[in-house]
Amino acid sequence: MAEKKSTKSFILRVDADTMDAIEAWAADEFRSTNGQLQWIITEALRKAKKKLKNEENNDE
């Protein structure tokens, strides 16, 4: 049986110019704004060599 992913919600405050840029980038990549933010965070963690829990499980 596939493992169920859990998500956590949180409020993020960003200035209007930054949000406009994120929304435009998301549209360019055919993603939702939320999806784009998730991708940006995941890529930043990967580049910083910070493993996510689901990546640790895949290494086993």
Side-chain angles (χ1 to χ4, degrees):
M1 185 173 190
E3 198 171 304
K4 194 175 189 179
K5 277 190 172 182
S6 64
T7 60
K8 292 185 179 183
S9 298
F10 69 99
I11 296 172
L12 174 66
R13 293 187 178 105
V14 296
D15 63 85
D17 290 339
T18 300
M19 194 64 189
D20 290 345
I22 292 168
E23 289 170 341
W25 189 9
D28 291 345
E29 300 284 327
F30 302 104
R31 290 189 180 106
S32 66
T33 302
N34 187 67
Q36 189 69 18
L37 288 166
Q38 289 176 326
W39 180 84
I40 291 167
I41 293 166
T42 300
E43 284 299 297
L45 288 168
R46 185 185 62 78
K47 287 178 182 176
K49 296 183 170 55
K50 305 295 181 185
K51 286 194 173 189
L52 301 174
K53 285 183 181 180
N54 63 348
E55 289 178 350
E56 290 172 354
N57 293 337
N58 291 339
D59 288 345
E60 295 175 351

